[in-house]
Structures are given as C-alpha cells and as structure tokens.
C-alpha cells in the first residue's frame, strides 16, 4: 500500500485510518502473498455499497502491487478474487477508479484484461 499511498508513510497512521474510519464503513483489505514472506506483495482495499445507478456493487478503493512484484500475476489474481467476492456477496457490478494517471498503461491493460471497461469520467474537487 506504501507504493499507492506514499503520503501515508507512518504505519500507525495507516492503521488508525483503516481501523478507525474505513473499516466501520465496511472497508476490507485482502493481500497477495508469496511463500516464506510475511509481507504482502499486493493489496486491495474494497467495500460493498448500494446505489440507484449501479445497484449493489463492490467498489475497489485501493489496488496496488509492490514495484518488485509487478508483472508476476499478483494484480490479476487480486482482481479475479475481487470478482469472485463480488459474486459471492450478491453484487451486480465491480467498480474502481484508476487514480494511476494516463501514463500508467500497464495498470490499465491489467484492468482491461480482467474484463473492466471505461464507462465514465470521475470528477472531484476539494471542499
């Protein structure tokens, strides 16, 4: 997660944000691991929600694979697990916003190979 959220460099701050604010709202984390290592090589943070536009959906807030573990299938494995989890939870759709920027072609190729399509633009502003 450090690669995706470098502004959260303090593990305690990350833990407090996840456990104090996100988890009570249904946020869950799942990791990809390799043998003989306690550290995840990839992680996905997600939640289930309901809306008029999308029905019941699984929203992927965070999806990241450590730079040294990229191109080894961990991101695809996480996305496949997320699709299965969405099905298990009775979701109609899976959504994620790619905050990686247009120059992150590898991430976008992974999303397309995993069956995701671009349906809209996401707009935001600070308030």
């Amino acid at each position: 997660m450090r690669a995706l959220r470098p502004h959260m460099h303090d593990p305690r701050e990350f833990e407090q944000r996840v456990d104090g604010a996100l988890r009570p709202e249904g946020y869950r984390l799942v990791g990809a691991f390799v043998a003989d290592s306690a550290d995840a090589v990839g992680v996905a943070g997600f939640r289930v929600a309901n809306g008029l536009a999308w029905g019941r959906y699984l929203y992927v807030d965070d999806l990241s694979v450590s730079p040294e573990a990229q191109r080894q299938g961990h991101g695809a494995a996480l996305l496949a697990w997320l699709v299965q989890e969405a099905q298990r939870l009775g979701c109609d759709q899976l959504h994620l916003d790619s905050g990686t920027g247009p120059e992150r072609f590898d991430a976008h190729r992974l999303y397309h190979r995993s069956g995701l399509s671009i349906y809209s633009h996401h707009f935001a502003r600070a308030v």
Side-chain angles (χ1 to χ4, degrees), residues 36-82:
D36 301 324
S37 177
D39 294 330
V41 295
V43 66
F46 66 98
R47 66 186 80 224
V48 172
N50 293 283
L52 293 174
W54 300 334
R56 184 172 174 82
Y57 61 96
L58 187 145
Y59 184 80
V60 181
D61 292 81
D62 308 294
L63 178 63
S64 182
V65 175
S66 64
E68 61 276 2
Q70 291 178 358
R71 296 183 167 261
Q72 298 175 19
H74 302 296
L78 284 167
L79 276 171
W81 185 91
L82 289 162

Side-chain angles (χ1 to χ4, degrees), residues 57-121:
Y57 61 96
L58 187 145
Y59 184 80
V60 181
D61 292 81
D62 308 294
L63 178 63
S64 182
V65 175
S66 64
E68 61 276 2
Q70 291 178 358
R71 296 183 167 261
Q72 298 175 19
H74 302 296
L78 284 167
L79 276 171
W81 185 91
L82 289 162
V83 168
Q84 289 178 347
E85 185 67 356
Q87 292 168 338
R88 185 185 76 77
L89 296 171
C91 295
D92 302 308
Q93 300 181 23
L94 180 142
H95 285 258
L96 68 78
D97 287 318
S98 177
T100 57
E103 70 282 355
R104 295 292 309 273
F105 297 116
D106 289 342
H108 298 154
R109 276 193 292 272
L110 168 65
Y111 303 154
H112 287 293
R113 279 195 316 268
S114 297
L116 283 90
S117 298
I118 300 170
Y119 284 95
S120 65
H121 295 280

Side-chain angles (χ1 to χ4, degrees), residues 24-40:
E25 296 176 354
Y27 182 85
R28 295 168 50 197
L29 286 166
V30 62
F33 295 85
V34 295
D36 301 324
S37 177
D39 294 330

Side-chain angles (χ1 to χ4, degrees), residues 1-15:
M1 192 65 83
R2 278 181 237 129
L4 184 62
R5 307 285 182 225
H7 64 283
M8 298 194 78
H9 57 274
D10 181 354
R12 289 176 302 230
E13 176 189 357
F14 175 80
E15 184 179 323

